[in-house]
Amino acid sequence: MNTKRILIAGLGYVGLTTGVCLAELGHSVVAYDVDDEKIVQLRKHSLHFREPELMDLMERNAGAGRLEFTSSCEESMRDVDIAFICSGTQPDSNGAADLSDVEATVQRIALGATKPFTLVLQSNVSPRGSFERLSVVLSQYLPETISAAVVVNPTFMREGSAVFDFFHSDRIVIGAWDYAAAEDIATLYSPLHCPVVLTDPVSAQLTRYASNAFLTMKTCFINEVARIATQVGADIGSVTEAMGLDTRLGTDFSEDNKTFNTSCYSGDVLVLAALAEDNGGQAALLRAVIENESGRHLLIRTLHDALHGITGKKVCVLGLATHGRADEAPNSPVHEVVTTLCRQGAHVHAYDPDSDRINLPVTQWPGIRYFADAYQAANGSDAILVASDWPELGGLDWGNIRVHMTGNTVIDGRGMLSPDTMRELGFDYLALAS
Ligand SMILES: NC(=O)c1ccc[n+]([C@@H]2O[C@H](COP(=O)([O-])OP(=O)(O)OC[C@H]3O[C@@H](n4cnc5c(N)ncnc54)[C@H](O)[C@@H]3O)[C@@H](O)[C@H]2O)c1
């Protein structure tokens, strides 16, 4: 294999996972972040977020000398063939990415370059104008004798299964005007044996926004059907299974398509709608998705209806992250639901199988009380919201919980429970999707 010297700039979910996985494929990876403390911790093999499998792979590849961490971008650019930009992009109110961190990263990479290289943009940036803007910044700071190609390579990895998603990609999308550079990046991924789409940079960027907007729309749709199913007494699990067997629809109404989309999906729908409108078009469907988005509003509305108002009600939230075993951004959907409930005057009793989650900012909100035991959290509650996909939550003694609740409403946001069993136990059970 033709191994490359690769720099990864920005070590959040995307950058660290990409770097570790590329090292696992045999490349020599130097991983850089502007946050010095993060580098100190990573050198000690301490991760700043949890992601299944990542720690093992990181230790193995660092031990084998294929992965090192640095806080000096310029020095680390020596002999680099490919530089990935994975720094964060904070969205504005229209969802559009703030380019300042990415621009700063491009500048440092350019200043440190010692030979021709390919710059790979993985951070989310708007399909309109950002590729050109970053190409200009690159050429401004590159030494005159050195050339660089720019390639867009959007990532579709999900928090909670990022390593799995890297090695089991459905497709790789690469956008560039320089065909040779695009092919070079495609070769990096050839051990993954998945389809590769080579296209122009704008189409590659638009693909990411369109894919995530479509997934969000799917969630909104199936959550509406789930609500109708509850009203007419249908089993949403059977409905989604039967729908999914239609190859035009696909089998996957599961996993991501349950009540909560990740916050980056929501941002992507906003970007797409704004893109259409800024160019004189309309985005009625996307605006309806934004209005409806991800079941969060539906969930609050459903609780309102079931409890005849939320103020003063005791709501037990089981699980403080959509994907139990992974960490999530502070503005994650579960946190948004919890803070909305608190704002509306509910007393939230929270429990998570991971006791470290007591330290989350959301657990400091007035109105929330954290319990180290699920049964104590549920005790005396008017309603329970199952917000995480921890298998433990499915295995709780729900008969016992029912006896000690004040109300009988259970909203299953992650499809963790059996509808029949829950109804037999006397719960007013609602799965927003399963
Ligand atoms: N998290 C996801 O699931 C996901 C999925 C697909 C795409 N993305 C996109 O990928 C990008 C990175 O996402 P993330 O979730 O890993 O972000 P993150 O905020 O978790 O991490 C970004 C990292 O970049 C570092 N950084 C900031 N400025 C820097 C600079 N000038 N030089 C070097 N490092 C710098 C920060 O210290 C931080 O460690 C974003 O544009 C995001 O929208 C994220």
Side-chain angles (χ1 to χ4, degrees), residues 51-237:
E51 186 61 42
E53 299 180 63
L54 192 57
M55 178 63 99
D56 289 349
L57 286 190
M58 189 172 93
E59 284 177 342
R60 181 159 77 223
N61 284 286
R66 286 190 297 268
L67 176 67
E68 58 186 296
F69 298 101
T70 177
S71 45
S72 168
C73 182
E74 284 91 333
E75 278 175 28
S76 310
M77 270 302 287
R78 189 182 307 278
D79 295 332
V80 158
D81 303 298
I82 300 169
F84 277 78
I85 296 201
C86 307
S87 35
T89 41
Q90 291 306 315
D92 65 17
S93 57
N94 260 342
D98 171 5
L99 278 187
S100 48
D101 279 349
V102 174
E103 280 187 25
T105 318
V106 171
Q107 184 180 333
R108 286 186 177 175
I109 286 174
L111 289 172
T114 59
K115 62 182 244 191
F117 68 101
T118 301
L119 185 77
V120 181
L121 195 56
Q122 283 211 320
S123 301
N124 283 350
V125 295
S126 165
R128 214 173 47 161
S130 48
F131 182 85
E132 289 74 14
R133 198 162 131 201
L134 294 172
S135 301
V136 168
V137 174
L138 180 66
S139 56
Q140 262 174 356
Y141 290 94
L142 263 184
E144 265 180 25
T145 50
I146 293 176
S147 61
V150 186
V151 164
V152 174
N153 174 211
T155 168
F156 301 94
M157 60 180 66
R158 297 160 296 176
E159 293 172 6
S161 57
V163 171
F164 178 90
D165 289 350
F166 181 95
F167 288 109
H168 301 86
S169 290
D170 294 325
R171 79 302 208 191
I172 301 293
V173 179
I174 296 169
W177 298 120
D178 180 329
Y179 194 76
E183 285 216 302
D184 206 28
I185 300 306
T187 309
L188 275 187
Y189 294 108
S190 54
L192 305 181
H193 304 294
C194 67
V196 176
V197 178
L198 296 185
T199 181
D200 63 88
V202 178
S203 304
Q205 287 167 318
L206 187 60
T207 302
R208 176 198 149 89
Y209 289 102
S211 295
N212 285 351
F214 191 83
L215 287 170
T216 309
M217 183 179 72
K218 224 170 136 185
T219 308
C220 291
F221 177 84
I222 204 62
N223 280 333
E224 285 208 8
V225 174
R227 194 173 164 83
I228 298 168
T230 306
Q231 286 161 346
V232 301
D235 173 12
I236 185 63

